[in-house]
Amino acid sequence: EDQVTQSPEALRLQEGESSSLNCSYTVSGLRGLFWYRQDPGKGPEFLFTLYSAGEEKEKERLKATLTKKESFLHITAPKPEDSATYLCAVCRGSARQLTFGSGTQLTVLP
Amino acid sequence: GAVVSQHPSRVICKSGTSVKIECRSLDFQATTMFWYRQFPKQSLMLMATSNEGSKATYEQGVEKDKFLINHASLTLSTLTVTSAHPEDSSFYICSAPPGGAGTDTQYFGPGTRLTVL
């Protein structure tokens, strides 16, 4: 059974204080790993898709990396508007169904 | 990115009534759409896969007679919660992959907050 574990559950940072969020996964035949951002009361907003170990993708202050067992979402010099819940999900098989982790709730204080 | 819409965004109903939620892909066609449920402070749980022109497939533990799914066209899937009860109150979110070779990225709708009194 696919398992996705995210840590920490919650993270409070000062504005400008860089950090990383972790997503550990167990899945046979990974088809893709996805990062989403979710604001309260809204649907997840797509950030990144990673397909193979060693792959990295960047968008503004965010950088996602992937190994064979985990993925990291690095946040450089965060701003208060980066506060949200960050979700990691894995996709396996041709059905393209996603299994989500429980998320990391990030709060960036001004 | 691709745009997925949902309607309504919020609905309040009495126990025993049925509620229909629409999910539309606005700028792409989707032969497959997915329906998720999210309880407060929890992550998304896949309920069912909606397939255009064929029956939906449901995850274990999801009652197919209670959560009716119809994928009538390449841009529209509907989820009907039949005989809703307070325990069905939740945040319902749909997603769709625009498709294309080498991409499985799913885009999510804004969600529908269902409250059953």
Side-chain angles (χ1 to χ4, degrees):
Chain A
E1 183 178 322
D2 301 346
Q3 286 196 343
V4 182
T5 303
Q6 291 189 245
S7 62
E9 289 187 12
L11 181 63
R12 291 168 67 93
L13 300 173
Q14 289 295 135
E15 185 173 1
E17 179 186 0
S18 302
S19 188
S20 295
L21 313 182
N22 178 263
C23 172
S24 298
Y25 64 90
T26 303
V27 60
S28 58
L30 179 71
R31 188 177 170 112
L33 184 141
F34 305 84
W35 283 97
Y36 289 88
R37 167 192 171 130
Q38 186 176 28
D39 292 300
K42 297 188 177 180
E45 174 189 344
F46 171 71
L47 294 175
F48 303 107
T49 305
L50 301 168
Y51 289 104
S52 56
E55 190 174 1
E56 297 182 354
K57 289 192 176 175
E58 284 188 70
K59 178 182 177 181
E60 296 181 355
R61 295 178 292 281
L62 300 177
K63 178 181 175 180
T65 62
L66 181 65
T67 72
K68 289 186 177 180
K69 294 183 178 181
E70 57 192 350
S71 177
F72 291 93
L73 184 66
H74 307 277
I75 303 177
T76 302
K79 298 181 178 181
E81 52 261 42
D82 295 322
S83 297
T85 295
Y86 290 85
L87 299 168
C88 168
V90 297
C91 177
R92 173 177 64 86
S94 59
R96 296 191 287 183
Q97 297 170 340
L98 298 182
T99 300
F100 278 87
S102 55
T104 293
Q105 184 175 358
L106 174 66
T107 303
V108 182
L109 304 172
Chain B
V3 181
V4 177
S5 71
Q6 278 184 245
H7 177 80
S9 59
R10 187 181 298 267
V11 58
I12 301 173
C13 68
K14 293 182 178 180
S15 185
T17 60
S18 294
V19 174
K20 179 185 285 188
I21 302 170
E22 293 185 348
C23 176
R24 294 181 185 273
S25 55
L26 298 186
D27 52 0
F28 65 97
Q29 294 183 330
T31 56
T32 302
M33 292 183 175
F34 301 93
W35 286 96
Y36 294 81
R37 183 166 51 182
Q38 186 176 34
F39 291 106
K41 297 193 181 299
Q42 295 187 23
S43 194
L44 283 74
M45 294 297 294
L46 179 66
M47 297 175 65
T49 302
S50 173
N51 303 298
E52 190 269 336
S54 64
K55 290 183 179 180
T57 55
Y58 292 80
E59 295 301 296
Q60 191 173 6
V62 178
E63 300 174 56
K64 63 180 181 180
D65 294 331
K66 180 169 186 62
F67 298 99
L68 301 180
I69 291 173
N70 183 23
H71 199 140
S73 74
L74 288 172
T75 59
L76 174 63
S77 174
T78 60
L79 169 69
T80 300
V81 183
T82 62
S83 187
H85 288 93
E87 57 265 32
D88 299 322
S89 297
S90 188
F91 193 50
Y92 292 86
I93 314 173
C94 69
S95 74
T103 175
D104 293 301
T105 298
Q106 292 185 27
Y107 292 88
F108 285 81
T112 296
R113 173 75 60 192
L114 170 63
T115 303
V116 184
L117 302 177

